[in-house]
Every structure is written in structure tokens, then in C-alpha cells.
Amino acid sequence: MTAYSAAPGPLLDVGTFLGRSLRHSVRSIDAMIVAVVLPVLILLVFVYVFGGAMSTGASGTDYLTFVVPGVIVLCAAHGSAQTAVGVNQDMTTGVVDRVRSLPVLGSAVLVGHVLASVARNLVSTAVVVGVALLLGFRPAASPLDWLVVAGLLALLMAGVSALSAAFGLLVASPEAAGASSFVLLFLPYVSSGFVPPETMPAVLRGFAEHQPVTPLIDAVRGLLLDAPVGTSPLLAVAWWGGLGLLGVLACGALFRRRAGA
Amino acid sequence: MAYTVEVEGLRKSFGTKSVLDGIDLHVARGSVAALLGPNGAGKTTTVKILSTLLRPDAGRVRVAGRDVRTDPVAVRRAISLTGQHATVDEVLTGRENLVMMGRLRHLTKAAARERATALLERFDLVEAADRRVSNYSGGMARRLDIALGLVDEPEVLFLDEPTTGLDPRSRRDVWDSVAELAASGVTVLLTTQYLEEADRLADRVAVLAGGRIAAEGTADELKSLVGGETVQLVLPDAAALDSAMTVADLRGYAVRADAGALSVHVPTDGTAAGVRELLETMAGVPVVRVAVHRPTLDDVFLTLTGTNPGTVPA
């Protein structure tokens, strides 16, 4: 007779949808370019095109070392568009309707998208760090520092992905969902990621110093250079924990509304 | 009689717009029922309620013996829905789609693979099994879509417009698949805009118009409502029309003139012999043109509701 799996249903469902989303990523030329090629290009552009003209302030850090965390965050923002588009397509093409007619947890399809998004971002991060090492990036972080860096970045990626999924649920079409990365792309530029905020005009500086990306970048940069990080890791956890929670709650509410449950 | 689908007094509105205005529907276990109606008649809304995607506003709706409102999870275990738009995953292969559905039905990996292989064979998709669905023809994608609905051997299968948008050949392939399903004993409720499709596949047909069931019966019963197949004779003038009517009357044909047009309809069995015999009796009448007219959904609608399908208020 037909054999049924003994594993808990929701876990099984999330695993199934994660597998599906990962297959989608690997088979999409767009997704692979954004995950692998774009990070390399962004890093090269910042280091070799802009890098020569950049001064990183009193710290004297060379620009390659300075810019790596900013590039990682920027790549995560670029990757978020795919999450929003994927979620939106599932809503508009009837995939979610079919899923909801099955005895499974409907929101597992969202969790699959978010986890696959985090996985794509981790690949991008590995690519950025790998290429940066080839270019002469020499982090001074201890294994424990690396672990904290990985944790902070994973938290950021989960937050960005959850917010993107919520945006995918909010808008009507995949095209509109694709535009969602705009806001997220803006944040790393006006942060401490590419230039020290002290060099910005007062208004921008106020924004740059009090937005979610800056403490995360400061924390990651400090940990990689084995420099004092102050309260920035705690601030980063508070920001991205909060934003991630907001994303999850928004996903839940929007999914219920959109799917008409 | 054991019914797998029991609907009584079903109502559903979206805002102030009433879509279903008291529907009664019964589908016997192991039978194939068709819900026939034009776009906007409420077919998809009905299927969505039966498959627990939408909640009814009022009425009693039981599927496989469970109430869709109070026991939706049990209903979902017993049913399978194939939506209006093929919801197969185009990025995955046919086999991957089937295995994924098996996993979502919580089969073990081995069982899901085994089931996938069996269904690929049954739906004639073996050669295309490991190609991405984006390379499938419309008919192949639809067959895969139906196969996806059978991964866990449901009690009831809902097919929402299974052949809309398919070319005639693919439509026939899908019909063959559905007929085979029916033979295997699963209860099927399908929706369609085509009388021919309902005729071909369903044991009983319910006509949905303006949010109500306008008629219910076998396809033959419905067709008899609109008078069956006719031969239309187009005539040059009123005198010829009169003589055609007279000749037909004399020979015992239940002839009917088209209002406001120079043509008459004469019932026929559609065989060459029958049509030849009729034309021979009309040998003395100057007939301009001859057309064999089969009842269409438009005719059923015209007869049942006095309106054209396109103008039926939703």
C-alpha cells in the first residue's frame, strides 16, 4: 500500500517548498546572475571604479576592507526582488489556490520562498568574501567573530526576505513586485556601507546614522577587523529582529487576506 | 442514493454582488457531473467553495460526507482540485511536479516516485517526463495537471474548465483522460462552457445561469429542451417559405420558422439518409442554402433563460 511519511506535516511541507524554490533559483538564469555575477561586479566597481576617489575617514582602513559589508547588504537587497516576484507569481497563477486545496499548511509555500532567498543570499555573500580575499581583503576576525558575523547577516537576510515576501503579497502583479527592491536598494547606499556618514550633509547623515542597515554594517565591519563594535551588534539585532518580525506578521495577515481564507 | 457532493441553498456574494443565489446540487458517488454555464455564471465560485478555498455565505455544503465549513481539513484530504489555469510548475519537469505533489500529500520519497512513474504512464507522458513543463504543449500540461490531482487517489476530483483554451486535438486527449478517470470509479465534478463537453463526459449536467441552477438532467434531457438537431433551410422569399412549411407539415416534420427571417428549422437525426430524405421531399421548393444545426450552449441558454450567455447577469 501507499507509504506515508512519518515526519511532522508542516516540516515536511516547508522542506518540499524549499526544494522547489531552490530548483527555481538554480534553473533561473536571472537568479544565478543576481546571486553570483552581480556581487562580483558590484565589488569590482566599488573597489576599482569608485575606490580610488574614496576616503574612509580617520580610520585609515583601505577601501576594499571598508566596502565588503556594504556590498554584501547591497547584494541581499538586489536578491530580494526575486523573492517578491516568486511569491507574487504563486499568488497570481493559482499555485497558492491549489496548495490551499491540499491538507497542508498553506503558508509553507512562503516559508520555502524566504528560506531559498536566504540561501541565495548566503551564496552571494560567499562569492563576495571569496573574491574580496583574492583581491587582498585580510579580515582579522576570530572564528567566534565569524560566527557572529554569519548570524547577523543571516538575520538581515531573513528580515529582507520576509519583507520582500510581504511586498510580493501586497502588490497586484509580478512586475510591481519586481520594483520592490527599490526601497531596500536605497538603504545601503545611504548608510555607512560605502562612505562614512560623517562626510554626508547633515540631513542625510542623520538618516544614515539612524537607519537599520548602518548598525549592521558597522557591527560586521568591526567584527571582521577585530575593532571595537560598541552597541552596534545589539542595535542591528534589534532592528532586523524587529523588521523580520514585522515582515512575518505582514506576510501572515496579507496571505490570509489575499488567499481569502 | 449515496451522494459525494451535496449542496443545498448555497449562497455567496462578493460585497453587494450576489454570485450564487441559492444553488442545489447533488453528485452521486462514482459519477461524473458537469456544471455548465457561461463566463461569470458562478462556476468557479462554486468549485472554490466545494474545495474549501472560499467560505459559503449560506447553505449546506457537504463533500465526501464532511461539511466544508466545519471540517475543511477532512474535505481537503478527500478531494483534489485542478484549477482553471494549469497550475503545474513550469520550471520543474513533469516527474518533479508529480513527486512534489506526492510529498505534499505526505507520501514517502519512494512512494511519491513510484506514484509519479505510474501516473506518467497512465497519462501518456513518459517521453516528456524529464523535460521541463515550459516545453509541454497545452494538452500535455493539462494532462499533467489532471494527473497531479490523482497522486493521492482522491474520492472527489474537481476539474474547473479542463479544456478551455486547448486546441481540438488536446481537448480530445483530455476527454479521454477524464473518461478513463470516470471508469476508475472516482467522483468527478467538472465545469465547462461547452455543451458538447458535458455531453461527452458527464452522466448528469446542471446548467448554471444568473447564480441559479436553471436546469438539471442528463445531456439528452437538456438537449431535448432545445429541440435537438435540426436542418436549417434558407429560402429566397415568403412564397417559398410558405411552400416549405406546407411540404414539411404534410410529411409530418415538426417544422418551425425562424422569427423575422426567411428560414425554417426541421428536426433531423443528423444522418446522411435522414438529411437526404428531407431534401428529397423539398425537391419542389427553391431552397437557397442548407445547414445542419446542432444545439449549442447558446440555444440551451436562450431556451432556459431567454437571454444570450454573454448577457446573463452574473
Side-chain angles (χ1 to χ4, degrees), chain B residues 167-197:
Chain B
D167 61 63
R169 202 206 131 124
S170 305
R171 173 168 298 162
R172 268 195 301 279
D173 287 348
V174 169
W175 284 353
D176 289 346
S177 301
V178 175
E180 204 182 305
L181 286 180
S184 75
V186 58
T187 307
V188 180
L189 177 65
L190 63 92
T191 73
T192 182
Q193 303 185 39
Y194 311 111
L195 182 59
E196 189 192 357
E197 183 161 296

PDB file of all heavy atoms in Angstrom, chain B residues 167-197:
ATOM      1  N   ASP B 167      -6.467  23.285 -28.015  1.00  0.00           N
ATOM      2  CA  ASP B 167      -6.841  23.016 -29.396  1.00  0.00           C
ATOM      3  C   ASP B 167      -7.653  21.718 -29.424  1.00  0.00           C
ATOM      4  O   ASP B 167      -7.649  20.945 -28.466  1.00  0.00           O
ATOM      5  CB  ASP B 167      -5.591  22.929 -30.278  1.00  0.00           C
ATOM      6  CG  ASP B 167      -4.672  21.822 -29.848  1.00  0.00           C
ATOM      7  OD1 ASP B 167      -5.093  20.651 -29.916  1.00  0.00           O
ATOM      8  OD2 ASP B 167      -3.546  22.106 -29.418  1.00  0.00           O
ATOM      9  N   PRO B 168      -8.394  21.481 -30.526  1.00  0.00           N
ATOM     10  CA  PRO B 168      -9.327  20.343 -30.566  1.00  0.00           C
ATOM     11  C   PRO B 168      -8.671  19.001 -30.260  1.00  0.00           C
ATOM     12  O   PRO B 168      -9.229  18.164 -29.559  1.00  0.00           O
ATOM     13  CB  PRO B 168      -9.837  20.368 -32.007  1.00  0.00           C
ATOM     14  CG  PRO B 168      -9.707  21.782 -32.425  1.00  0.00           C
ATOM     15  CD  PRO B 168      -8.480  22.315 -31.728  1.00  0.00           C
ATOM     16  N   ARG B 169      -7.461  18.801 -30.738  1.00  0.00           N
ATOM     17  CA  ARG B 169      -6.793  17.528 -30.514  1.00  0.00           C
ATOM     18  C   ARG B 169      -6.468  17.328 -29.040  1.00  0.00           C
ATOM     19  O   ARG B 169      -6.715  16.268 -28.467  1.00  0.00           O
ATOM     20  CB  ARG B 169      -5.493  17.516 -31.334  1.00  0.00           C
ATOM     21  CG  ARG B 169      -4.996  16.143 -31.612  1.00  0.00           C
ATOM     22  CD  ARG B 169      -3.519  16.198 -31.818  1.00  0.00           C
ATOM     23  NE  ARG B 169      -2.948  15.167 -30.993  1.00  0.00           N
ATOM     24  CZ  ARG B 169      -2.171  14.217 -31.460  1.00  0.00           C
ATOM     25  NH1 ARG B 169      -1.848  14.208 -32.713  1.00  0.00           N
ATOM     26  NH2 ARG B 169      -1.718  13.297 -30.657  1.00  0.00           N
ATOM     27  N   SER B 170      -5.919  18.386 -28.410  1.00  0.00           N
ATOM     28  CA  SER B 170      -5.611  18.295 -26.986  1.00  0.00           C
ATOM     29  C   SER B 170      -6.884  18.099 -26.181  1.00  0.00           C
ATOM     30  O   SER B 170      -6.890  17.398 -25.169  1.00  0.00           O
ATOM     31  CB  SER B 170      -4.916  19.568 -26.506  1.00  0.00           C
ATOM     32  OG  SER B 170      -3.781  19.820 -27.279  1.00  0.00           O
ATOM     33  N   ARG B 171      -7.958  18.750 -26.648  1.00  0.00           N
ATOM     34  CA  ARG B 171      -9.230  18.622 -25.938  1.00  0.00           C
ATOM     35  C   ARG B 171      -9.663  17.158 -25.938  1.00  0.00           C
ATOM     36  O   ARG B 171     -10.066  16.630 -24.909  1.00  0.00           O
ATOM     37  CB  ARG B 171     -10.279  19.489 -26.633  1.00  0.00           C
ATOM     38  CG  ARG B 171     -11.670  19.314 -26.080  1.00  0.00           C
ATOM     39  CD  ARG B 171     -12.592  20.378 -26.576  1.00  0.00           C
ATOM     40  NE  ARG B 171     -12.137  21.697 -26.128  1.00  0.00           N
ATOM     41  CZ  ARG B 171     -12.529  22.828 -26.666  1.00  0.00           C
ATOM     42  NH1 ARG B 171     -13.359  22.831 -27.680  1.00  0.00           N
ATOM     43  NH2 ARG B 171     -12.084  23.961 -26.199  1.00  0.00           N
ATOM     44  N   ARG B 172      -9.524  16.499 -27.078  1.00  0.00           N
ATOM     45  CA  ARG B 172      -9.893  15.078 -27.143  1.00  0.00           C
ATOM     46  C   ARG B 172      -9.029  14.240 -26.210  1.00  0.00           C
ATOM     47  O   ARG B 172      -9.527  13.338 -25.539  1.00  0.00           O
ATOM     48  CB  ARG B 172      -9.806  14.567 -28.585  1.00  0.00           C
ATOM     49  CG  ARG B 172     -11.128  14.688 -29.331  1.00  0.00           C
ATOM     50  CD  ARG B 172     -11.102  13.847 -30.593  1.00  0.00           C
ATOM     51  NE  ARG B 172     -10.023  14.254 -31.485  1.00  0.00           N
ATOM     52  CZ  ARG B 172     -10.101  15.291 -32.312  1.00  0.00           C
ATOM     53  NH1 ARG B 172     -11.195  16.022 -32.356  1.00  0.00           N
ATOM     54  NH2 ARG B 172      -9.086  15.597 -33.093  1.00  0.00           N
ATOM     55  N   ASP B 173      -7.736  14.559 -26.145  1.00  0.00           N
ATOM     56  CA  ASP B 173      -6.846  13.816 -25.240  1.00  0.00           C
ATOM     57  C   ASP B 173      -7.308  13.962 -23.795  1.00  0.00           C
ATOM     58  O   ASP B 173      -7.319  12.993 -23.034  1.00  0.00           O
ATOM     59  CB  ASP B 173      -5.403  14.343 -25.352  1.00  0.00           C
ATOM     60  CG  ASP B 173      -4.761  13.909 -26.668  1.00  0.00           C
ATOM     61  OD1 ASP B 173      -5.346  13.045 -27.351  1.00  0.00           O
ATOM     62  OD2 ASP B 173      -3.683  14.437 -27.003  1.00  0.00           O
ATOM     63  N   VAL B 174      -7.664  15.210 -23.430  1.00  0.00           N
ATOM     64  CA  VAL B 174      -8.118  15.450 -22.056  1.00  0.00           C
ATOM     65  C   VAL B 174      -9.426  14.707 -21.811  1.00  0.00           C
ATOM     66  O   VAL B 174      -9.623  14.105 -20.752  1.00  0.00           O
ATOM     67  CB  VAL B 174      -8.262  16.960 -21.779  1.00  0.00           C
ATOM     68  CG1 VAL B 174      -8.972  17.201 -20.458  1.00  0.00           C
ATOM     69  CG2 VAL B 174      -6.894  17.620 -21.775  1.00  0.00           C
ATOM     70  N   TRP B 175     -10.312  14.720 -22.796  1.00  0.00           N
ATOM     71  CA  TRP B 175     -11.577  13.987 -22.652  1.00  0.00           C
ATOM     72  C   TRP B 175     -11.313  12.519 -22.403  1.00  0.00           C
ATOM     73  O   TRP B 175     -11.946  11.895 -21.558  1.00  0.00           O
ATOM     74  CB  TRP B 175     -12.426  14.152 -23.930  1.00  0.00           C
ATOM     75  CG  TRP B 175     -13.087  15.486 -24.026  1.00  0.00           C
ATOM     76  CD1 TRP B 175     -13.117  16.461 -23.081  1.00  0.00           C
ATOM     77  CD2 TRP B 175     -13.815  15.977 -25.155  1.00  0.00           C
ATOM     78  NE1 TRP B 175     -13.808  17.546 -23.544  1.00  0.00           N
ATOM     79  CE2 TRP B 175     -14.251  17.272 -24.813  1.00  0.00           C
ATOM     80  CE3 TRP B 175     -14.130  15.470 -26.412  1.00  0.00           C
ATOM     81  CZ2 TRP B 175     -14.999  18.066 -25.681  1.00  0.00           C
ATOM     82  CZ3 TRP B 175     -14.881  16.245 -27.274  1.00  0.00           C
ATOM     83  CH2 TRP B 175     -15.311  17.533 -26.909  1.00  0.00           C
ATOM     84  N   ASP B 176     -10.376  11.951 -23.143  1.00  0.00           N
ATOM     85  CA  ASP B 176     -10.051  10.535 -22.949  1.00  0.00           C
ATOM     86  C   ASP B 176      -9.578  10.298 -21.516  1.00  0.00           C
ATOM     87  O   ASP B 176      -9.967   9.316 -20.877  1.00  0.00           O
ATOM     88  CB  ASP B 176      -8.962  10.089 -23.934  1.00  0.00           C
ATOM     89  CG  ASP B 176      -9.501  10.006 -25.363  1.00  0.00           C
ATOM     90  OD1 ASP B 176     -10.746  10.032 -25.517  1.00  0.00           O
ATOM     91  OD2 ASP B 176      -8.695   9.953 -26.307  1.00  0.00           O
ATOM     92  N   SER B 177      -8.721  11.209 -21.018  1.00  0.00           N
ATOM     93  CA  SER B 177      -8.217  11.054 -19.652  1.00  0.00           C
ATOM     94  C   SER B 177      -9.355  11.100 -18.645  1.00  0.00           C
ATOM     95  O   SER B 177      -9.397  10.303 -17.708  1.00  0.00           O
ATOM     96  CB  SER B 177      -7.212  12.164 -19.318  1.00  0.00           C
ATOM     97  OG  SER B 177      -6.143  12.143 -20.214  1.00  0.00           O
ATOM     98  N   VAL B 178     -10.275  12.052 -18.841  1.00  0.00           N
ATOM     99  CA  VAL B 178     -11.375  12.198 -17.878  1.00  0.00           C
ATOM    100  C   VAL B 178     -12.292  10.970 -17.947  1.00  0.00           C
ATOM    101  O   VAL B 178     -12.735  10.446 -16.913  1.00  0.00           O
ATOM    102  CB  VAL B 178     -12.175  13.490 -18.129  1.00  0.00           C
ATOM    103  CG1 VAL B 178     -13.386  13.566 -17.201  1.00  0.00           C
ATOM    104  CG2 VAL B 178     -11.293  14.718 -17.923  1.00  0.00           C
ATOM    105  N   ALA B 179     -12.542  10.488 -19.154  1.00  0.00           N
ATOM    106  CA  ALA B 179     -13.402   9.314 -19.304  1.00  0.00           C
ATOM    107  C   ALA B 179     -12.782   8.108 -18.594  1.00  0.00           C
ATOM    108  O   ALA B 179     -13.477   7.326 -17.941  1.00  0.00           O
ATOM    109  CB  ALA B 179     -13.610   9.015 -20.787  1.00  0.00           C
ATOM    110  N   GLU B 180     -11.459   8.020 -18.682  1.00  0.00           N
ATOM    111  CA  GLU B 180     -10.767   6.912 -18.027  1.00  0.00           C
ATOM    112  C   GLU B 180     -10.887   7.012 -16.502  1.00  0.00           C
ATOM    113  O   GLU B 180     -11.081   6.028 -15.808  1.00  0.00           O
ATOM    114  CB  GLU B 180      -9.298   6.963 -18.446  1.00  0.00           C
ATOM    115  CG  GLU B 180      -8.597   5.637 -18.341  1.00  0.00           C
ATOM    116  CD  GLU B 180      -7.139   5.807 -18.724  1.00  0.00           C
ATOM    117  OE1 GLU B 180      -6.876   6.305 -19.844  1.00  0.00           O
ATOM    118  OE2 GLU B 180      -6.291   5.488 -17.893  1.00  0.00           O
ATOM    119  N   LEU B 181     -10.783   8.282 -16.013  1.00  0.00           N
ATOM    120  CA  LEU B 181     -10.944   8.516 -14.578  1.00  0.00           C
ATOM    121  C   LEU B 181     -12.307   8.048 -14.118  1.00  0.00           C
ATOM    122  O   LEU B 181     -12.447   7.390 -13.091  1.00  0.00           O
ATOM    123  CB  LEU B 181     -10.897  10.017 -14.288  1.00  0.00           C
ATOM    124  CG  LEU B 181      -9.566  10.691 -14.364  1.00  0.00           C
ATOM    125  CD1 LEU B 181      -9.744  12.157 -14.035  1.00  0.00           C
ATOM    126  CD2 LEU B 181      -8.685  10.044 -13.336  1.00  0.00           C
ATOM    127  N   ALA B 182     -13.311   8.440 -14.897  1.00  0.00           N
ATOM    128  CA  ALA B 182     -14.680   8.103 -14.538  1.00  0.00           C
ATOM    129  C   ALA B 182     -14.811   6.589 -14.456  1.00  0.00           C
ATOM    130  O   ALA B 182     -15.425   6.061 -13.531  1.00  0.00           O
ATOM    131  CB  ALA B 182     -15.639   8.672 -15.572  1.00  0.00           C
ATOM    132  N   ALA B 183     -14.188   5.898 -15.410  1.00  0.00           N
ATOM    133  CA  ALA B 183     -14.276   4.442 -15.425  1.00  0.00           C
ATOM    134  C   ALA B 183     -13.605   3.844 -14.193  1.00  0.00           C
ATOM    135  O   ALA B 183     -13.972   2.760 -13.742  1.00  0.00           O
ATOM    136  CB  ALA B 183     -13.624   3.905 -16.698  1.00  0.00           C
ATOM    137  N   SER B 184     -12.613   4.554 -13.630  1.00  0.00           N
ATOM    138  CA  SER B 184     -11.899   4.014 -12.471  1.00  0.00           C
ATOM    139  C   SER B 184     -12.678   4.222 -11.180  1.00  0.00           C
ATOM    140  O   SER B 184     -12.252   3.789 -10.119  1.00  0.00           O
ATOM    141  CB  SER B 184     -10.509   4.639 -12.361  1.00  0.00           C
ATOM    142  OG  SER B 184     -10.621   5.954 -11.871  1.00  0.00           O
ATOM    143  N   GLY B 185     -13.813   4.936 -11.246  1.00  0.00           N
ATOM    144  CA  GLY B 185     -14.698   4.986 -10.084  1.00  0.00           C
ATOM    145  C   GLY B 185     -14.616   6.247  -9.236  1.00  0.00           C
ATOM    146  O   GLY B 185     -15.357   6.407  -8.287  1.00  0.00           O
ATOM    147  N   VAL B 186     -13.714   7.184  -9.585  1.00  0.00           N
ATOM    148  CA  VAL B 186     -13.639   8.411  -8.795  1.00  0.00           C
ATOM    149  C   VAL B 186     -14.815   9.311  -9.174  1.00  0.00           C
ATOM    150  O   VAL B 186     -15.291   9.280 -10.309  1.00  0.00           O
ATOM    151  CB  VAL B 186     -12.275   9.115  -9.023  1.00  0.00           C
ATOM    152  CG1 VAL B 186     -12.049   9.435 -10.471  1.00  0.00           C
ATOM    153  CG2 VAL B 186     -12.159  10.383  -8.201  1.00  0.00           C
ATOM    154  N   THR B 187     -15.314  10.058  -8.189  1.00  0.00           N
ATOM    155  CA  THR B 187     -16.392  11.002  -8.464  1.00  0.00           C
ATOM    156  C   THR B 187     -15.784  12.269  -9.050  1.00  0.00           C
ATOM    157  O   THR B 187     -14.817  12.800  -8.512  1.00  0.00           O
ATOM    158  CB  THR B 187     -17.137  11.352  -7.156  1.00  0.00           C
ATOM    159  OG1 THR B 187     -17.540  10.140  -6.534  1.00  0.00           O
ATOM    160  CG2 THR B 187     -18.338  12.235  -7.428  1.00  0.00           C
ATOM    161  N   VAL B 188     -16.344  12.741 -10.170  1.00  0.00           N
ATOM    162  CA  VAL B 188     -15.784  13.913 -10.829  1.00  0.00           C
ATOM    163  C   VAL B 188     -16.855  14.991 -10.958  1.00  0.00           C
ATOM    164  O   VAL B 188     -17.980  14.714 -11.366  1.00  0.00           O
ATOM    165  CB  VAL B 188     -15.251  13.567 -12.245  1.00  0.00           C
ATOM    166  CG1 VAL B 188     -14.675  14.808 -12.921  1.00  0.00           C
ATOM    167  CG2 VAL B 188     -14.211  12.466 -12.186  1.00  0.00           C
ATOM    168  N   LEU B 189     -16.494  16.224 -10.563  1.00  0.00           N
ATOM    169  CA  LEU B 189     -17.356  17.364 -10.871  1.00  0.00           C
ATOM    170  C   LEU B 189     -16.529  18.300 -11.738  1.00  0.00           C
ATOM    171  O   LEU B 189     -15.489  18.797 -11.319  1.00  0.00           O
ATOM    172  CB  LEU B 189     -17.802  18.087  -9.606  1.00  0.00           C
ATOM    173  CG  LEU B 189     -18.648  19.353  -9.865  1.00  0.00           C
ATOM    174  CD1 LEU B 189     -19.983  19.022 -10.512  1.00  0.00           C
ATOM    175  CD2 LEU B 189     -18.878  20.148  -8.594  1.00  0.00           C
ATOM    176  N   LEU B 190     -16.983  18.512 -12.973  1.00  0.00           N
ATOM    177  CA  LEU B 190     -16.233  19.405 -13.850  1.00  0.00           C
ATOM    178  C   LEU B 190     -17.107  20.576 -14.245  1.00  0.00           C
ATOM    179  O   LEU B 190     -18.331  20.478 -14.252  1.00  0.00           O
ATOM    180  CB  LEU B 190     -15.703  18.642 -15.072  1.00  0.00           C
ATOM    181  CG  LEU B 190     -16.681  18.009 -16.047  1.00  0.00           C
ATOM    182  CD1 LEU B 190     -17.007  18.985 -17.176  1.00  0.00           C
ATOM    183  CD2 LEU B 190     -16.061  16.752 -16.650  1.00  0.00           C
ATOM    184  N   THR B 191     -16.464  21.685 -14.556  1.00  0.00           N
ATOM    185  CA  THR B 191     -17.209  22.830 -15.064  1.00  0.00           C
ATOM    186  C   THR B 191     -16.812  23.016 -16.521  1.00  0.00           C
ATOM    187  O   THR B 191     -15.705  22.665 -16.919  1.00  0.00           O
ATOM    188  CB  THR B 191     -16.879  24.128 -14.312  1.00  0.00           C
ATOM    189  OG1 THR B 191     -15.575  24.564 -14.703  1.00  0.00           O
ATOM    190  CG2 THR B 191     -16.919  23.939 -12.814  1.00  0.00           C
ATOM    191  N   THR B 192     -17.735  23.534 -17.299  1.00  0.00           N
ATOM    192  CA  THR B 192     -17.436  23.738 -18.710  1.00  0.00           C
ATOM    193  C   THR B 192     -18.380  24.761 -19.321  1.00  0.00           C
ATOM    194  O   THR B 192     -19.460  25.019 -18.803  1.00  0.00           O
ATOM    195  CB  THR B 192     -17.523  22.407 -19.492  1.00  0.00           C
ATOM    196  OG1 THR B 192     -17.190  22.643 -20.851  1.00  0.00           O
ATOM    197  CG2 THR B 192     -18.916  21.816 -19.415  1.00  0.00           C
ATOM    198  N   GLN B 193     -17.902  25.351 -20.419  1.00  0.00           N
ATOM    199  CA  GLN B 193     -18.753  26.268 -21.184  1.00  0.00           C
ATOM    200  C   GLN B 193     -19.342  25.554 -22.393  1.00  0.00           C
ATOM    201  O   GLN B 193     -20.091  26.141 -23.151  1.00  0.00           O
ATOM    202  CB  GLN B 193     -17.932  27.435 -21.713  1.00  0.00           C
ATOM    203  CG  GLN B 193     -17.197  28.219 -20.661  1.00  0.00           C
ATOM    204  CD  GLN B 193     -16.517  29.423 -21.270  1.00  0.00           C
ATOM    205  OE1 GLN B 193     -17.063  30.077 -22.150  1.00  0.00           O
ATOM    206  NE2 GLN B 193     -15.309  29.709 -20.824  1.00  0.00           N
ATOM    207  N   TYR B 194     -18.923  24.291 -22.582  1.00  0.00           N
ATOM    208  CA  TYR B 194     -19.293  23.610 -23.825  1.00  0.00           C
ATOM    209  C   TYR B 194     -20.285  22.486 -23.566  1.00  0.00           C
ATOM    210  O   TYR B 194     -19.984  21.549 -22.832  1.00  0.00           O
ATOM    211  CB  TYR B 194     -18.047  23.035 -24.501  1.00  0.00           C
ATOM    212  CG  TYR B 194     -16.926  24.017 -24.631  1.00  0.00           C
ATOM    213  CD1 TYR B 194     -15.769  23.871 -23.886  1.00  0.00           C
ATOM    214  CD2 TYR B 194     -17.042  25.121 -25.491  1.00  0.00           C
ATOM    215  CE1 TYR B 194     -14.739  24.787 -23.993  1.00  0.00           C
ATOM    216  CE2 TYR B 194     -16.013  26.033 -25.593  1.00  0.00           C
ATOM    217  CZ  TYR B 194     -14.864  25.871 -24.843  1.00  0.00           C
ATOM    218  OH  TYR B 194     -13.850  26.771 -24.940  1.00  0.00           O
ATOM    219  N   LEU B 195     -21.436  22.571 -24.197  1.00  0.00           N
ATOM    220  CA  LEU B 195     -22.439  21.521 -24.078  1.00  0.00           C
ATOM    221  C   LEU B 195     -21.868  20.196 -24.579  1.00  0.00           C
ATOM    222  O   LEU B 195     -22.089  19.140 -23.989  1.00  0.00           O
ATOM    223  CB  LEU B 195     -23.690  21.894 -24.886  1.00  0.00           C
ATOM    224  CG  LEU B 195     -24.835  20.893 -24.814  1.00  0.00           C
ATOM    225  CD1 LEU B 195     -25.295  20.700 -23.391  1.00  0.00           C
ATOM    226  CD2 LEU B 195     -25.992  21.325 -25.689  1.00  0.00           C
ATOM    227  N   GLU B 196     -21.099  20.261 -25.649  1.00  0.00           N
ATOM    228  CA  GLU B 196     -20.530  19.051 -26.227  1.00  0.00           C
ATOM    229  C   GLU B 196     -19.659  18.313 -25.211  1.00  0.00           C
ATOM    230  O   GLU B 196     -19.685  17.083 -25.115  1.00  0.00           O
ATOM    231  CB  GLU B 196     -19.686  19.438 -27.459  1.00  0.00           C
ATOM    232  CG  GLU B 196     -19.235  18.250 -28.268  1.00  0.00           C
ATOM    233  CD  GLU B 196     -18.171  18.640 -29.293  1.00  0.00           C
ATOM    234  OE1 GLU B 196     -17.835  19.834 -29.395  1.00  0.00           O
ATOM    235  OE2 GLU B 196     -17.674  17.734 -29.963  1.00  0.00           O
ATOM    236  N   GLU B 197     -18.906  19.106 -24.446  1.00  0.00           N
ATOM    237  CA  GLU B 197     -18.019  18.505 -23.450  1.00  0.00           C
ATOM    238  C   GLU B 197     -18.834  17.838 -22.337  1.00  0.00           C
ATOM    239  O   GLU B 197     -18.536  16.712 -21.924  1.00  0.00           O
ATOM    240  CB  GLU B 197     -17.121  19.594 -22.870  1.00  0.00           C
ATOM    241  CG  GLU B 197     -16.104  19.098 -21.880  1.00  0.00           C
ATOM    242  CD  GLU B 197     -14.989  20.120 -21.713  1.00  0.00           C
ATOM    243  OE1 GLU B 197     -14.280  20.364 -22.701  1.00  0.00           O
ATOM    244  OE2 GLU B 197     -14.843  20.676 -20.618  1.00  0.00           O
TER     245      GLU B 197
END
